[in-house]
């Protein structure tokens, strides 16, 4: 798999991470603590098999064992863009949700914690992430 | 494609699975309001109308930090091909049956 990191300047101060083939192998500690603004993905291989994209608030995740903090189901021939936001008690809204320990990810067919079966098709994913923007 | 879930607001989701719909659906917007709690919570959406929180593998998981609400938008909807039920507990992933200290309001569209 190939990963491309593109720095995006202010106001976000974020990095766009594009991974052209996310599979059952954990991509560990791609970022330190920070905020995840957006996930965009594509699964256009034509297989009927669904997949699950799993994000871990952990520097060293092991798919099949580590509990995913955020998980999205991906259907066959599916693509989507998923922005994330957070709101506090005062009603203040900010873009992104925090990962306080680190940012790791993988994609397998199975839902939930278990499962290490690779997706049937190539799953491409882009993350927009702002390291160190935890608050 | 399954239709989007009807607007659904449950005022206190916790460790007992609640059925949103027994039909196939998709989630286009989700708001998990953990602002009443001082601990992190995890919303778990199950692709079945008969889920057991802590045992059934969730189809979708969304975290909400202590004192915060998480809002997620899906442009094309995240599919639940069989049904949608949900619960909220303190643990990520599949396991965990510890209810949040205060029930978590959840809005699904």
């Amino acid at each position: 798999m190939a990963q491309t990191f593109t720095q995006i300047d202010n106001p976000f101060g974020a990095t766009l991470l594009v991974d052209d083939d996310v599979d059952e192998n954990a991509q560990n500690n791609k970022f330190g603590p920070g905020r995840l603004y957006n996930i965009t993905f594509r699964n256009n291989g034509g297989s009927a098999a669904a997949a699950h994209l799993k994000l871990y608030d952990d520097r060293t995740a092991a798919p099949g064992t580590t509990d995913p903090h955020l998980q999205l189901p991906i259907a066959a021939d599916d693509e989507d863009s998923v922005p994330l936001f957070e709101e506090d008690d005062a009603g203040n809204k900010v873009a992104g949700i925090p990962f306080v320990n680190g940012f790791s990810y993988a994609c397998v067919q199975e839902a939930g914690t278990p499962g290490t079966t690779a997706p049937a098709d190539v799953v491409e994913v882009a993350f927009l992430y702002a390291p160190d923007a935890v608050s | 494609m399954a239709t989007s879930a009807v607007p659904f607001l449950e005022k206190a989701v916790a460790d007992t699975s609640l059925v949103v719909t027994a039909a196939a659906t998709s989630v286009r917007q989700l708001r998990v309001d953990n602002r009443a709690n001082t601990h992190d919570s995890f919303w778990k959406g199950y692709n079945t109308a008969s889920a057991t929180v802590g045992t059934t593998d969730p189809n979708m998981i969304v975290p909400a930090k202590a004192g915060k609400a998480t809002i997620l938008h899906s442009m094309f909807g995240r599919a639940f091909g069989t049904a949608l039920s949900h619960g909220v507990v303190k643990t990520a992933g599949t396991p965990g049956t510890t209810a949040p200290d205060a029930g978590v309001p959840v809005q699904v569209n």
Side-chain angles (χ1 to χ4, degrees):
Chain A
M1 70 187 62
Q3 295 168 336
T4 305
F5 294 80
T6 304
Q7 184 68 36
I8 297 173
D9 293 333
N10 289 328
F12 292 114
T15 299
L16 181 67
L17 164 57
V18 178
D19 191 322
D20 68 2
D21 187 5
V22 182
D23 59 18
E24 78 280 15
N25 297 304
Q27 298 305 304
N28 279 330
N29 200 28
K30 290 304 168 184
F31 295 109
R35 296 187 76 85
L36 176 64
Y37 292 141
N38 190 279
I39 308 164
T40 300
F41 56 82
R42 180 166 54 191
N43 178 31
N44 279 344
S47 167
H52 292 85
L53 178 64
K54 302 181 182 184
L55 311 185
Y56 304 93
D57 189 352
D58 202 311
R59 290 179 179 271
T60 54
T65 303
T66 305
D67 295 326
H69 274 60
L70 193 158
Q71 175 187 288
L72 297 176
I74 302 175
D77 291 324
D78 190 9
E79 61 182 280
D80 202 357
S81 187
V82 177
L84 298 156
F85 304 90
E86 198 173 54
E87 181 179 352
D88 67 15
D89 240 353
N92 299 311
K93 299 177 181 68
V94 295
I97 62 171
F99 282 69
V100 299
N101 298 309
F103 182 80
S104 303
Y105 63 91
C107 188
V108 300
Q109 293 190 25
E110 297 86 351
T113 299
T116 56
T117 307
D121 294 310
V122 172
V123 177
E124 303 164 286
V125 182
F127 301 105
L128 184 60
Y129 192 91
D132 301 322
V134 177
S135 59
Chain B
M1 173 180 291
T3 57
S4 179
V6 294
F8 179 92
L9 173 62
E10 179 63 47
K11 292 182 178 178
V13 182
D15 57 326
T16 299
S17 176
L18 300 171
V19 177
V20 177
T21 175
T25 188
S26 63
V27 173
R28 291 178 182 267
Q29 292 185 33
L30 178 70
R31 189 175 194 277
V32 183
D33 189 347
N34 197 41
R35 293 182 297 175
N37 287 311
T38 57
H39 57 78
D40 296 353
S41 293
F42 296 86
W43 177 86
K44 302 180 184 183
Y46 302 94
N47 187 25
T48 172
S50 57
T52 301
V53 175
T55 303
T56 305
D57 291 322
N59 191 44
M60 183 169 167
I61 302 169
V62 175
K65 300 302 287 184
K68 301 291 177 67
T70 293
I71 302 156
L72 176 150
H73 296 274
S74 169
M75 298 302 171
F76 300 119
R78 294 299 86 223
F80 287 73
T82 301
L84 171 59
S85 59
H86 64 168
V88 174
V89 293
K90 292 182 177 180
T91 307
T94 297
T97 57
T98 305
D101 293 347
V104 172
V106 174
Q107 184 172 354
V108 181
N109 291 323

